[in-house]
Amino acid sequence: MSEIPPHLSYTRDHEWLLDGVVGITAFAASSLGDIVYVQLPDVGAAVTAGVPCGEIESTKSVSDLVAPAGGVVVEVNLLAAEPGLVNEDPYGRGWLFRLSVAGTPDLLDATAYAALVG
């Protein structure tokens, strides 16, 4: 099974969240295959929890990127030149964007996420 860091929170759509930083899980990155393009929300954009806010394109398919929490995008990772970082290091250099989180998102802990993908 893919790595599931215990300090992150997760969505049923395979995104993770930590202190406003958003990424996709290793399970999602592995399932997608080689990621070739990432379309992220713009800095300053408001996103809504559970609503698509971008896309991730791989050699297999195009998938929606779903916001794990509501808030305003304050930073995006510049992945245009290296979208493969999402596959190589999904919990580190392959992060997607940072949110100023509004409210308390309803997310899964690592144990619940492991049961979901198990």
Side-chain angles (χ1 to χ4, degrees), residues 17-22 68-72 74 98-105:
L17 179 70
L18 177 66
D19 298 330
V21 177
V22 175
V72 175
V74 295
R98 184 181 310 271
L99 279 176
S100 173
V101 177
T104 305

Side-chain angles (χ1 to χ4, degrees), residues 1-2 4 10 12 14 27 108-118:
M1 178 171 14
S2 299
I4 301 175
Y10 300 89
R12 294 184 182 283
H14 310 289
F27 175 86
L108 305 172
D109 64 15
T111 302
Y113 184 70
L116 176 73
V117 299

Side-chain angles (χ1 to χ4, degrees), residues 3-90:
E3 172 187 358
I4 301 175
H7 64 287
L8 303 176
S9 297
Y10 300 89
T11 71
R12 294 184 182 283
D13 295 307
H14 310 289
E15 286 85 18
W16 58 264
L17 179 70
L18 177 66
D19 298 330
V21 177
V22 175
I24 66 167
T25 65
F27 175 86
S30 175
S31 296
L32 286 169
D34 293 331
I35 295 172
V36 296
Y37 178 74
V38 180
Q39 184 234 329
L40 299 173
D42 294 328
V43 171
V47 298
T48 303
V51 175
C53 62
E55 292 182 340
I56 299 177
E57 182 177 341
S58 72
T59 55
K60 293 181 181 179
S61 66
V62 177
S63 298
D64 284 334
L65 172 62
V66 178
V72 175
V73 177
V74 295
E75 183 180 5
V76 295
N77 193 354
L78 302 176
L79 294 168
E82 292 185 86
L85 284 176
V86 178
N87 291 109
E88 293 169 23
D89 191 10

